[in-house]
Amino acid sequence: MNISTYTVKPKLPAPLKPLEEIARNLWLSWNYDAIQLFIRLDYDAWLQSQQSPVRTLGMVSQERLAVVAKDDSYLAALKEVYDRFQRYKKGDTWYRGSHKDVVAYFSMEYGMDTSLPIYSGGLGILSGDHMKTSSDMGLPLVGIGLLYRQGYFKQMLNADGYQQESYPENDWYNMPVERKAGKDGAPIKISVDLAGRQAIAQIWEVKVGRSSLYLLDTNIDENAPDIRNITAALYGGDKETRMQQEILLGIGGIRALRALGINPAATHMNEGHAAFLGLERIREIMTEKSFTFEEAREAVWPTNIFTTHTPVPAGNERFDIAMMEKYFRSWPQILGISWKDFLGLGRIYPTDERETFCLTVLALKMAAYANGVARLHGVVSRDMWKGLWPGLPLNEVPIGHVTNGVHPRTWVSGGMIELLDRYFGPHFENDPTDLAIWDRMERISDEELWRTHERRRERLVAFVRERIREQYTRTGAVERRIRQAEDALSPYALTLCFARRFATYKRGNLLLRDPERLLRLIKDNDRPIQLIFAGKAHPHDMPGKELIRELIHFAEKYDVTSRIVFVENYDMTVAKYLTSGGDVWLNTPRRPMEASGTSGMKAAMNGVLNCSIMDGWWDEAYNPDVGWAIGHGEQYVDEKLQDDVESKALYDLLERDIIPLFYQRGRDSLPREWIKRMKDCMRQIGHSMSSHRMLMDYSNNSYFPALKNYRRLIKDDYAEAKSLAAYFGRLGQAWPNLKIVKLESNSKPVMQRGDMLTVTAYIDLAHMSPNELLVELYHGTVSNQSNEIMNARRTEMKWVSAEGDLNLYQIRIECADTGFQGHTVRILPKHEALIHPYRTGFIKWA
């Protein structure tokens, strides 16, 4: 069948023309008054469109559009929103530098808005907030991802409470994406090699305020059906599909930016999925400059940033060698290295032929800047990947941390934002990087804050009742059961929310361990509590699905379905109701398996108090003024014991602290102490966990240094990179023969504080010059238990003279600390172009 295709756009009357531009920019997703324009246009169409502004415009009748085009009230609101949108796009920002060279941010998923379902969970929501915040701050950053035809699955529970999945197709022509075309009007396309076959992808743009996100799509006629399916579903298919998606994201993403005329001067790999971009950037420079692999790698390494999100080894993407051989057999020849050396790029131990190829390892080896996503996760990551830097003390492993944050105007509810805007002033919107503005929480009266919060709880209860009613109707429940849904939950009871991915380590059933104790709290007529759960289990995670089923069965068995409810199909819409309408946000992972988590931050900025295990972001944010900690950060070997201890601790917190505090009311019926905690919580978490703080950290710690490195490196045709490659070539040859032959010092068995210690090292430099090596005195308190130097100080030693084949390095330091002290000497690389001296395999101890 020969079908001619074309796109039909809504015909808007002239006064309503700005609606088209607003609908196609996700700026509206964090500006509630912009969303209101589409709700006012036609509420039924808005609901039927599943809250998609673009689709709403196409569903509204021409008659209705003609009426609205003459409505002076509506046009005034439209003008106000559109003027603010234009001011936003053109206004001053935190960053005021050049946009000629950009940081390209690569992520497998982006959670921007309900109207663009190309996300599954926390990683995607974080990426979405990253893009929105980049727009607010005017950063020179573009996003790269994939355009999934089906996105992530839609969750439905059957009558038995068992999760089922459906995969609705996305209609891109009614979504806020636009296909990129060249000057000739034809779509811009790129191609990547997939095991000898060419996969062609077109590029779509999503406008995010001032920023742009580019998405690759293989679902086009030029490709065979299996290649068209590469971008069919997020995290869909088998291991091979995953490999194809990651080649398309990493290698194809760089090619897409080039095709668009954008120079990715620095690249940020958000998780290991995009690690192959390092190979493509090296290949580009080798082809363009006729460089060796080592020279090109030194040109790229200082401009790569990598963020790891996974605190368990099993969560890091690995491919067996047969799969690598199928897709990358030609790459060693392209890069001018051996197959063994190529595989070594993705191995912790490069010569271990049994080790599979790990994308996290590749990313860590390719990036000068690496970080975990919370302070505790930084510690866990350094321990997980220390094998890449043998001989390096754990605290020096070059993986730092940038704690995640959330975008306040996306996640703080419309009613609460209005309240904050009124008391914080226009500065809150116009300069979101001024985090001290949250100190103005004290200006808000208790009455107004509590009234705003109570309205959010009422809306949450109404929303959940509607969702449960739809769920019961769909599963064919009897009329009596459907009527019960109308009365589920109370708008006045203490409401605990637990919403996240239903993986077993997150322990969604921890509160069910003592049914008698829980039921006593739920059925208390004077001080009742109610629980709202939401979250998806991965389609292949059967234990996760059983957790959901267990919750449903528990509520039915004990006849508390009106007090314990599970909301289907957790997405951004559900999340916004829960994080703004609950009273307590519950989080119960097994420490230290939660890398960061961000849902609790969203809740906290709405004044919802957290009750959580000391893991992820809560490990550094917790104090008694802002919520409750379950336990004290203990880690257990026996998981059953851990569940028993921590579930009891949770019941104790509820009974002794949380419930009494919530129901402790004065004559005016206000829980004054609870409201005080809400204010402290919003002030502290708004200040510390805003995504604007996160992006300032990334900018100052890695983006700006990486862009500066790029501008320095391209001078004199990458002379510095060539120099560094030559240096490591010489150092690699000399390293086996480099020796610390002898150490001498004037130390005595007992020294006095203030005495001067002189240390001399005699070193065989193996034909390296003295200024090419960093010789350090490593000194500090020695542990009686491990006989290791703890909290060591590092002080560079000075070259003094040469005696025959040996070079003398010396240093004098004051004995400042008392107790059992010690010192040793070590050698590291030293070159003016090095970002840091911690390169794999280059550390030598006395």
Side-chain angles (χ1 to χ4, degrees):
M1 194 189 306
N2 185 12
I3 300 175
S4 299
T5 60
Y6 42 85
T7 306
V8 178
K9 289 192 171 185
K11 186 179 180 184
L12 295 176
L16 301 183
K17 279 277 191 259
L19 282 173
E20 176 101 38
E21 189 183 342
I22 294 169
R24 293 191 170 275
N25 192 309
L26 288 180
W27 172 85
L28 67 74
S29 68
W30 69 92
N31 286 274
Y32 190 67
D33 52 353
I35 294 170
Q36 279 289 107
L37 293 173
F38 296 90
I39 295 173
R40 278 181 70 180
L41 201 58
D42 187 327
Y43 185 62
D44 290 337
W46 173 254
L47 291 181
Q48 285 170 21
S49 75
Q50 295 177 312
Q51 302 180 21
S52 166
V54 176
R55 191 179 287 124
T56 298
L57 288 182
M59 293 170 73
V60 178
S61 69
Q62 288 302 133
E63 291 78 14
R64 173 64 183 157
L65 289 173
V67 169
V68 175
K70 293 175 183 167
D71 181 337
D72 56 353
S73 164
Y74 186 91
L75 294 179
L78 174 57
K79 182 179 186 311
E80 188 178 326
V81 169
Y82 188 64
D83 286 351
R84 196 153 61 78
F85 177 43
Q86 297 305 319
R87 283 197 304 276
Y88 174 85
K89 288 201 295 183
K90 293 168 186 166
D92 285 341
T93 59
W94 179 77
Y95 174 78
R96 295 186 179 175
S98 162
H99 284 71
K100 178 169 158 274
D101 304 315
V102 304
V103 177
Y105 177 80
F106 285 69
S107 186
M108 202 72 160
E109 48 172 306
Y110 289 87
M112 297 283 194
D113 187 53
T114 309
S115 67
L116 190 66
I118 54 168
Y119 62 93
S120 74
L123 181 77
I125 301 298
L126 177 82
S127 302
D129 282 5
H130 202 106
M131 291 301 304
K132 294 172 185 180
T133 311
S134 161
S135 164
D136 286 345
M137 294 168 63
L139 292 174
L141 182 140
V142 299
I144 292 286
L146 304 181
L147 188 75
Y148 302 102
R149 196 166 74 241
Q150 294 172 337
Y152 205 48
F153 70 88
K154 190 173 179 183
Q155 179 195 49
M156 294 170 295
L157 302 186
N158 67 13
D160 189 40
Y162 194 73
Q163 173 181 296
Q164 296 175 311
E165 299 89 24
S166 68
Y167 293 86
E169 298 269 325
N170 287 321
D171 172 12
W172 299 125
Y173 299 94
N174 277 311
M175 289 187 174
V177 297
E178 188 178 328
R179 190 162 45 186
K180 296 301 287 180
K183 288 177 183 170
D184 58 356
I188 297 173
K189 293 174 184 172
I190 57 101
S191 68
V192 292
D193 177 86
L194 296 177
R197 302 166 71 202
Q198 289 301 302
I200 297 164
Q202 60 186 357
I203 307 164
W204 299 74
E205 180 182 15
V206 179
K207 289 188 168 70
V208 189
R210 301 177 179 95
S211 300
S212 287
L213 166 64
Y214 298 103
L215 302 170
L216 301 179
D217 167 27
T218 59
N219 184 29
I220 53 177
D221 294 340
E222 291 98 312
N223 290 324
D226 61 323
I227 289 178
R228 291 182 70 158
N229 279 336
I230 292 171
T231 53
L234 171 60
Y235 304 136
D238 54 13
K239 200 76 174 166
E240 189 146 8
T241 306
R242 239 349 222 279
M243 168 68 91
Q244 293 168 342
Q245 287 183 336
E246 285 161 354
I247 289 172
L248 181 64
L249 177 66
I251 295 171
I254 293 289
R255 292 179 186 176
L257 290 170
R258 296 287 181 213
L260 293 165
I262 295 167
N263 177 30
T267 50
H268 183 176
M269 297 168 269
N270 190 42
E271 196 50 292
H273 305 130
F276 292 133
L277 70 79
L279 302 177
E280 173 63 8
R281 295 189 72 200
I282 288 171
R283 184 201 66 78
E284 276 188 338
I285 292 179
M286 288 180 69
T287 304
E288 193 183 318
K289 301 288 180 188
S290 301
F291 278 9
T292 64
F293 172 78
E294 287 76 16
E295 288 170 339
R297 181 161 68 169
E298 297 302 345
V300 165
W301 181 76
T303 65
N304 277 343
I305 300 121
F306 170 58
T307 298
T308 174
H309 290 260
T310 314
V312 286
N316 290 273
E317 194 81 89
R318 284 185 175 272
F319 293 109
D320 60 44
I321 302 310
M323 181 83 78
M324 288 303 297
E325 187 140 19
K326 178 175 178 180
Y327 283 91
F328 284 93
R329 200 63 182 92
S330 61
W331 273 81
Q333 191 177 352
I334 293 168
L335 300 176
I337 58 175
S338 69
W339 177 240
K340 188 177 171 187
D341 285 347
F342 180 82
L343 292 178
L345 295 171
R347 286 171 166 164
I348 297 175
Y349 307 105
T351 55
D352 181 358
E353 295 190 2
R354 293 164 304 171
E355 189 181 341
T356 51
F357 192 95
C358 177
L359 290 194
T360 303
V361 172
L362 176 64
L364 285 167
K365 288 186 177 182
M366 288 286 168
Y369 305 94
N371 67 277
V373 288
R375 185 174 62 199
L376 178 62
H377 184 230
V379 174
V380 171
S381 299
R382 286 190 285 280
D383 190 47
M384 260 177 76
W385 303 109
K386 63 190 174 191
L388 282 168
W389 294 273
L392 193 63
L394 193 60
N395 66 321
E396 290 183 76
V397 168
I399 303 174
H401 78 274
V402 174
T403 302
N404 284 344
V406 298
H407 187 250
R409 295 194 92 82
T410 294
W411 293 105
V412 178
S413 71
M416 191 66 80
I417 278 286
E418 281 176 22
L419 182 67
L420 298 182
D421 277 339
R422 204 160 71 242
Y423 281 92
F424 289 7
H427 194 58
F428 181 47
E429 181 180 8
N430 298 336
D431 186 7
T433 56
D434 181 7
L435 302 173
I437 199 87
W438 287 92
D439 292 337
R440 296 184 181 180
M441 277 306 302
E442 293 310 316
R443 297 182 179 185
I444 301 174
S445 72
D446 289 0
E447 289 81 1
E448 277 196 280
L449 183 62
W450 188 244
R451 201 158 55 243
T452 303
H453 177 65
E454 288 206 300
R455 278 199 297 268
R456 299 313 308 167
R457 195 187 315 112
E458 287 163 9
R459 288 194 62 178
L460 167 62
V461 168
F463 171 78
V464 172
R465 285 173 176 172
E466 179 63 23
R467 278 295 183 96
I468 299 171
R469 195 178 62 75
E470 287 171 7
Q471 190 174 321
Y472 286 172
T473 304
R474 196 197 67 248
T475 54
V478 295
E479 189 60 38
R480 179 182 61 81
R481 186 84 186 272
I482 294 171
R483 279 201 306 274
Q484 273 182 342
E486 302 289 347
D487 197 34
L489 304 177
S490 159
Y492 312 109
L494 172 60
T495 304
L496 280 66
C497 296
F498 180 99
R500 56 204 14 91
R501 188 161 53 89
F502 260 74
T504 49
Y505 80 86
K506 292 179 185 275
R507 298 187 295 178
N509 60 348
L510 192 67
L511 206 50
L512 310 187
R513 286 186 74 80
D514 188 339
E516 194 179 309
R517 207 167 167 186
L518 177 59
L519 291 169
R520 199 162 57 238
L521 299 178
I522 286 173
K523 293 182 175 180
D524 184 330
N525 289 328
D526 297 324
R527 302 190 308 181
I529 70 167
Q530 55 195 12
L531 306 172
I532 304 176
F533 291 89
K536 296 176 178 179
H538 188 279
H540 304 311
D541 181 5
M542 298 309 157
K545 291 183 177 184
E546 275 303 319
L547 274 184
I548 296 172
R549 198 152 153 263
E550 185 185 342
L551 288 169
I552 307 287
H553 282 218
F554 181 95
E556 288 175 351
K557 178 181 176 182
Y558 295 105
D559 194 24
V560 285
T561 52
S562 64
R563 286 288 174 264
I564 297 179
V565 300
F566 188 96
V567 183
E568 274 184 336
N569 202 37
Y570 185 44
D571 63 3
M572 288 182 76
T573 300
V574 177
K576 285 180 180 180
Y577 277 99
L578 292 176
T579 54
S580 65
D583 296 301
V584 176
W585 195 259
L586 200 56
N587 187 29
T588 53
R590 291 190 198 284
R591 176 184 164 116
M593 294 178 75
E594 182 95 304
S596 171
T598 56
S599 58
M601 300 176 190
K602 296 159 194 162
M605 284 188 197
N606 279 287
V608 178
L609 303 181
N610 276 258
C611 178
S612 175
I613 298 291
M614 294 287 278
D615 198 8
W617 76 281
W618 192 237
D619 182 67
E620 65 197 82
Y622 165 73
N623 71 63
D625 296 337
V626 300
W628 295 272
I630 304 166
H632 303 282
E634 304 91 343
Q635 285 171 223
Y636 296 76
V637 177
D638 182 338
E639 290 187 351
K640 185 179 181 304
L641 173 66
Q642 180 179 11
D643 292 350
D644 284 343
V645 169
E646 291 180 343
S647 64
K648 286 188 174 99
L650 176 53
Y651 291 126
D652 287 346
L653 279 173
L654 285 167
E655 291 167 351
R656 295 174 191 171
D657 292 352
I658 297 174
I659 296 172
L661 192 71
F662 182 82
Y663 285 107
Q664 182 187 320
R665 308 290 167 105
R667 285 184 188 171
D668 53 8
S669 296
L670 291 178
R672 295 277 180 184
E673 280 301 310
W674 188 279
I675 295 167
K676 182 181 182 304
R677 284 207 189 192
M678 285 176 67
K679 286 184 177 179
D680 285 341
C681 176
M682 292 173 75
R683 178 173 54 79
Q684 291 183 33
I685 305 306
H687 197 286
S688 64
M689 297 298 157
S690 158
S691 55
H692 298 89
R693 186 273 310 150
M694 175 181 79
L695 260 290
M696 287 191 281
D697 286 351
Y698 273 117
S699 297
N700 294 322
N701 299 342
S702 52
Y703 290 173
F704 296 163
L707 289 171
K708 191 176 175 185
N709 295 341
Y710 170 78
R711 292 179 195 119
R712 195 182 71 241
L713 281 161
I714 59 174
K715 284 180 186 169
D716 305 322
D717 206 25
Y718 291 95
E720 201 175 80
K722 286 192 216 168
S723 163
L724 197 52
Y727 165 75
F728 273 114
R730 290 198 317 281
L731 187 63
Q733 288 181 327
W735 199 253
N737 301 314
L738 202 65
K739 290 187 189 72
I740 301 171
V741 176
K742 186 170 60 168
L743 287 187
E744 289 179 351
S745 77
N746 67 341
S747 67
K748 302 191 288 276
V750 177
M751 307 276 285
Q752 299 290 321
R753 179 186 271 169
D755 285 354
M756 298 306 293
L757 176 72
T758 303
V759 181
T760 308
Y762 295 81
I763 299 177
D764 182 347
L765 295 181
H767 306 296
M768 297 297 286
S769 73
N771 64 348
E772 290 183 313
L773 295 167
L774 176 61
V775 179
E776 288 184 332
L777 183 72
Y778 189 84
H779 56 106
T781 302
V782 177
S783 162
N784 289 325
Q785 193 174 355
S786 63
N787 203 34
E788 290 178 356
I789 296 174
M790 313 300 291
N791 302 319
R793 294 194 184 98
R794 309 184 304 274
T795 314
E796 185 173 356
M797 300 178 73
K798 297 283 185 285
W799 180 83
V800 178
S801 63
E803 287 185 9
D805 291 339
L806 299 182
N807 283 262
L808 272 65
Y809 285 78
Q810 200 170 69
I811 191 168
R812 285 186 85 218
I813 60 163
E814 183 183 341
C815 295
D817 297 327
T818 58
F820 193 40
Q821 302 292 304
H823 65 260
T824 187
V825 170
R826 68 183 189 178
I827 303 174
L828 291 161
K830 185 180 183 181
H831 190 284
E832 60 186 3
L834 269 178
I835 309 305
H836 59 71
Y838 307 123
R839 295 293 281 261
T840 298
F842 288 110
I843 183 168
K844 191 152 285 194
W845 294 88

